[in-house]
Amino acid sequence: MRQLDEQPEQGGDEPVAEVAGGEELSGQGVSLYDVCFWEFFMKLVLASSSPFRAAILRNLALPFAAVSPEVDEARLPGEAPQALVERLAVAKARAVAADAESFVIGSDQVATLDGDVLGKPHTVENAVAQLSRFSGREVQFLTGLCLRRGDVVFSCVEPFVVRFRPLTEAEIRAYVALESPLQCAGSFKSEGLGILLFDALVGRDPNALVGLPLIALRELFEQHGVALFAEIERAAQAD
């Protein structure tokens, strides 16, 4: 785990609160810092617009806000995949405006194969090309994760390996048409029909494939001196 003690960048929109049960308060003009329950729970912000990461974080049953960070995700010349995802995770956590008491989660993910870095396909044909290349191959996914509180930043990279079964073009096109994984690194949704594309998964946390490894997140909270079970218990007792 890496720790960086630097002044975070400020920016982004004011976050909108979401309660532990998943009820969104957006559209009601309720900001993260106006909701009274933030006086009793730790302030938690997910620097992501991904509904999939939000769904994973919601499993912890803690109130949080989800905010889309404004970050240039372009790879630097010669940048290694591990360095790329960790840098972007930190950048996303820093791009969201939050007070010094808030915990901000940043995350980024890429797939790597034959030394190439593969991100989101964005188009149907790119998704078909990615999955065709993955057919019968072993692909590594790297998820950069960052947890910032004020000026203190801890970050890490979580690896995960997917072994794809041999896939026909018809299967690939049918899958892409059914699930439209155009905004997913690797062109699949493992929490959905994408699981049918695999022979095996190798890694300690399958949540890493969706972009938010909870085991690593717990470890980062511990680096900050926070016991997640204690916070979850407080939230449960307040229900």
Side-chain angles (χ1 to χ4, degrees), residues 40-111:
F40 305 102
F41 302 112
M42 68 176 180
K43 298 175 183 178
L44 185 59
V45 182
L46 176 63
S48 174
S49 59
S50 167
F52 311 111
R53 288 190 177 104
I56 292 176
L57 188 58
R58 204 171 288 125
N59 289 332
L60 296 183
L62 289 170
F64 68 92
V67 184
S68 180
E70 297 296 328
V71 171
D72 181 359
E73 299 188 15
R75 185 184 182 190
L76 300 177
E79 188 173 30
Q82 293 88 343
L84 169 65
V85 294
E86 189 166 17
R87 176 178 63 81
L88 291 180
V90 172
K92 290 175 181 180
R94 287 177 170 164
V96 171
D99 66 19
E101 297 303 312
S102 296
F103 288 94
V104 184
I105 302 167
S107 181
D108 192 75
Q109 184 184 69
V110 297

Side-chain angles (χ1 to χ4, degrees), residues 1 145 158 204-205 207 212-220:
M1 304 296 175
L145 186 65
E158 183 76 15
R204 66 172 185 160
D205 189 346
N207 291 305
L212 190 64
L214 293 184
I215 293 175
L217 182 62
R218 173 188 56 78
E219 292 170 344
L220 294 183

Side-chain angles (χ1 to χ4, degrees), residues 1-6 86 151-155 223-224:
M1 304 296 175
R2 299 186 183 180
Q3 177 181 358
L4 302 174
D5 295 298
E6 298 180 7
E86 189 166 17
D151 296 347
V152 180
V153 176
F154 290 101
S155 63
Q223 294 289 311
H224 279 282

Side-chain angles (χ1 to χ4, degrees), residues 81-82 84-85 108-112 117-119 140-143 185-186:
Q82 293 88 343
L84 169 65
V85 294
D108 192 75
Q109 184 184 69
V110 297
T112 64
V117 174
L118 306 168
Q140 184 178 57
F141 289 80
L142 298 170
T143 301

Side-chain angles (χ1 to χ4, degrees), residues 179-197:
E179 206 150 52
S180 190
L182 306 186
Q183 301 304 316
C184 302
S187 303
F188 63 82
K189 298 178 182 178
S190 61
E191 71 279 15
L193 296 175
I195 195 70
L196 301 179
L197 306 174

